């Protein structure tokens, strides 16, 4: 019997009952990432039922020098939860650790386990008349542990910040099986280094997050949601600045959608478009969350937008008049990635820039894209309020799957990504705004990160995980 089958037998005898899966058919969904860029082979899938069981699994892995790959909802864009090809990685799925441990509406906090889906965390907050604001297209399947490990962003960062801003406490299983318990809900706690922050955004390379205490907020009484036509991204940035002067913090989302993106949604998803008859060159999806004390917000917003039409900054406005219409506007936005996938091959970039540099970036990047791949379509949508663009490319119109044009398009991927990321760096931006590093962007981190910061990251990794067993090969090598 080889080492692999012997280990599989030992794992199964120790954790039967669904807590350990070794058959190829059960491993398969965990061995390929969401975008199908990475394919590996795992030794087994472990699914702990409790934190104590998770600790004993981690101890087993550590004793046998096995690499552990923590897995959430498998929605990473960077292969953060895919195993390597060695056949020796243990995937540790957190999905059974899915309890809401406590809700504290008075203190505006909630403690949840890592395997809870983001949607179930939002629902738990709502059940006590509170609000958890992290919002992502994948919220029905992505899990809290993954959101924490990748420091997820999404569509309400403008008002509430990223995942790390929403965390008060964390519980983490360390690479040797010890439990770090920092699950307090204190708003003020200046007791030395903020250790929990080391694990947020570390993508499971320092330990496995098992639970978190999260900040909750006041539940908005209602939303004012509008699609706003604009001429270009520069106008969108000006519009945000004007609207913030009027409405300040009630602006929760400000998403940018060029016509190249909405056109794909109309074409592939048959989504009705409020601007169907004469779509503007670009649009913004604006959402304001209404506090109880400001019932006249929708009227004020409509009034200000009309004034901005008169000034020429805004080209057209469609306000959502019902919850159904609001959901519809959001599905146009949230289903753009799906529409682009249906269109065929794509090259993706998840970049951020100082908001004042977005227009310069977009015009300069368009020039280099056309010089490198003539006819390539630029589908650059995203969270403009946070300076974050998903600067994605599709091959020229009419390209068919498997054609030479598609092959040529994809052959240019590394060259174009290098140029785009260099341009982003020269304008003071980041090559990874919200999707993390995973295995996809390890070399980019080496190239663009401040060398002192990179050295500190590597030192921290060695200090906490000296055997390099936690999700090794991801983030820092
Ligand atoms: C989004 O904002 O839709 C995702 O983060 C990015 C994407 O799917 O391209
Ligand atoms: Zn995004």
């Amino acid at each position: 019997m080889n080492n692999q089958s012997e280990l599989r037998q030992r794992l199964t005898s120790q954790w039967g009952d669904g807590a350990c899966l070794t058959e190829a058919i059960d491993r398969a969904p965990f061995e390929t990432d969401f975008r199908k860029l990475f394919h590996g082979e795992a030794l087994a899938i472990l699914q702990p039922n409790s934190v104590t069981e998770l600790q004993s699994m981690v101890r087993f892995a550590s004793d046998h020098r096995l690499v552990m790959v923590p897995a959430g909802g498998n929605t990473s864009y960077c292969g953060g939860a895919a195993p390597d090809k060695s056949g020796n990685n243990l995937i540790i799925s957190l999905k059974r650790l899915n309890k809401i441990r406590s809700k504290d509406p008075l203190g505006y906090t909630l403690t949840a386990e890592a395997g809870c889906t983001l949607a179930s965390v939002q629902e738990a907050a709502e059940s006590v008349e509170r609000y958890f604001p992290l919002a992502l297209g994948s919220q029905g399947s992505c899990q809290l542990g993954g959101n924490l490990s990748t420091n997820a962003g999404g569509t309400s960062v403008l008002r509430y910040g990223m995942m790390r801003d929403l965390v008060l406490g964390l519980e983490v299983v360390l690479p040797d099986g010890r439990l770090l318990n920092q699950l307090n809900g204190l708003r003020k706690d200046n007791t030395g280094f903020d250790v929990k922050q080391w694990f947020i955004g570390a993508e499971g390379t320092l330990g496995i997050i098992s639970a978190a205490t999260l900040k909750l907020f006041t539940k908005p009484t209602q939303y004012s949601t509008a699609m706003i036509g604009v001429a270009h991204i520069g106008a969108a940035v000006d519009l945000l600045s004007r609207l913030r002067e009027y409405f300040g913090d009630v602006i929760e989302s400000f998403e940018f959608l060029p016509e190249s993106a909405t056109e794909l949604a109309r074409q592939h998803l048959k989504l009705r478009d409020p601007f169907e008859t004469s779509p503007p060159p670009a649009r913004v999806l604006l959402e304001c969350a209404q506090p109880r004390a400001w019932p006249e917000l929708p009227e004020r917003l409509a009034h200000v937008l009309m004034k901005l039409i008169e000034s020429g900054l805004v080209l057209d406005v469609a306000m959502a008049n019902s919850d159904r219409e609001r959901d519809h506007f959001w599905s146009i936005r949230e289903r753009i990635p799906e529409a682009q996938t249906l269109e065929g091959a794509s090259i993706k970039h998840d970049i951020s820039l100082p908001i004042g540099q977005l227009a310069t970036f977009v015009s300069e990047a368009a020039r280099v894209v056309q010089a490198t791949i003539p006819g390539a379509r630029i589908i650059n949508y995203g969270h403009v309020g946070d300076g974050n663009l998903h600067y994605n490319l599709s091959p020229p119109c009419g390209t068919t799957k498997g054609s030479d044009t598609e092959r040529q398009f994809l052959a240019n991927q590394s060259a174009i990504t290098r140029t785009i990321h260099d341009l982003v760096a020269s304008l003071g931006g980041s090559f990874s705004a919200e999707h993390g590093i995973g295995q996809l962007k390890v070399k980019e981190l080496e190239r663009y990160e401040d060398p002192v910061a990179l050295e500190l990251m590597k030192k921290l990794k060695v200090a906490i995980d000296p055997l390099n067993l936690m999700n090794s090969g991801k983030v820092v090598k």
Side-chain angles (χ1 to χ4, degrees), residues 77 333 337 348 381 383 390 392 434-435:
Y77 269 43
R333 159 63 186 94
K348 291 179 185 280
Y381 59 94
H383 322 288
H390 298 302
N392 296 350
E434 62 169 4
H435 292 169

Side-chain angles (χ1 to χ4, degrees), residues 7-330:
L7 275 168
R8 281 187 178 144
Q9 252 180 28
R10 291 181 61 181
L11 285 161
T12 324
S13 61
Q14 196 148 345
W15 294 288
D17 208 15
C20 172
L21 307 172
T22 56
E23 296 299 325
I25 190 164
D26 297 320
R27 298 193 322 261
F30 297 88
E31 290 178 332
T32 299
D33 72 304
F34 175 73
R35 288 176 64 195
K36 307 203 177 354
L37 299 176
F38 300 98
H39 308 275
E41 188 196 335
L43 180 65
I45 316 299
L46 298 179
Q47 309 189 122
N49 278 301
S50 65
V51 175
T52 318
E53 195 166 54
L54 171 60
Q55 288 179 270
S56 71
M57 288 168 172
V58 169
R59 269 188 222 107
F60 179 98
S62 172
D63 291 347
H64 293 81
R65 305 289 190 262
L66 295 169
V67 166
M68 292 162 267
V69 180
N74 198 8
T75 56
S76 167
Y77 269 43
C78 303
D84 67 21
K85 293 186 191 304
S86 66
N88 278 329
N89 292 181
L90 274 178
I91 292 188
I92 305 194
S93 160
L94 279 299
K95 76 172 194 195
R96 290 177 166 189
L97 293 186
N98 61 357
K99 281 196 274 307
I100 301 289
R101 290 197 193 159
S102 63
K103 304 174 207 170
D104 176 8
L106 191 65
Y108 279 71
T109 70
L110 171 159
T111 298
E113 292 184 340
C116 292
T117 62
L118 175 54
S120 69
V121 172
Q122 294 164 340
E123 280 155 24
E126 277 193 31
S127 72
V128 287
E129 292 298 307
R130 296 291 178 262
Y131 179 55
F132 183 64
L134 191 80
L136 306 173
S138 57
Q139 58 202 25
S141 51
C142 65
Q143 294 172 13
L144 181 61
N147 302 149
L148 292 156
S149 297
T150 57
N151 184 28
T155 53
S156 51
V157 172
L158 181 61
R159 180 167 184 187
Y160 297 100
M162 296 192 54
M163 188 72 217
R164 70 168 75 252
D165 302 306
L166 304 174
V167 181
L168 291 169
L170 217 58
E171 180 187 87
V172 185
V173 177
L174 297 180
D176 57 9
R178 277 177 305 156
L179 194 67
L180 169 75
N181 189 343
Q182 293 222 305
L183 271 186
N184 69 52
L186 299 175
R187 307 266 160 175
K188 289 191 162 182
D189 181 20
N190 266 348
T191 46
F193 295 169
D194 192 354
V195 170
K196 68 176 181 300
Q197 288 293 346
W198 300 349
F199 298 89
I200 302 173
E203 301 186 39
T205 59
L206 300 178
I208 303 181
I209 296 173
S210 49
T213 299
L214 305 170
K215 286 184 196 167
L216 301 182
F217 295 83
T218 307
K219 201 172 133 199
T221 50
Q222 150 186 1
Y223 290 97
S224 296
T225 309
M227 282 270 191
I228 306 171
V230 289
H232 44 67
I233 197 159
V237 170
D238 285 349
L239 175 63
L240 176 60
S241 164
R242 298 292 298 279
L243 290 173
R244 286 181 107 170
E245 284 162 15
Y246 284 108
F247 298 104
D249 264 1
V250 302
I251 302 174
E252 195 152 303
S253 302
F254 193 87
E255 298 284 308
F256 177 76
L257 303 171
E259 175 51 14
S260 58
T262 29
E263 190 194 356
L264 291 183
R266 280 197 303 271
Q267 194 185 322
H268 291 289
L269 307 168
K270 307 284 175 259
L271 289 177
R272 191 181 47 77
D273 180 354
F275 297 142
E276 195 124 13
T277 47
S278 62
R283 67 187 74 185
V284 162
L285 176 57
L286 168 78
E287 185 153 277
C288 297
Q290 187 178 310
R292 208 179 292 271
W294 201 1
E296 70 278 20
L297 174 66
E299 289 73 39
R300 293 296 301 276
L301 179 62
H303 177 75
V304 167
L305 290 173
M306 286 312 129
K307 286 238 164 289
L308 292 171
I309 289 186
E310 283 162 25
S311 77
L313 182 60
V314 165
L315 304 179
D316 205 349
V317 173
M319 302 283 293
N321 289 317
S322 62
D323 285 349
R324 210 160 141 236
E325 215 160 9
R326 172 184 178 233
D327 291 348
H328 180 70
F329 284 11
W330 272 107

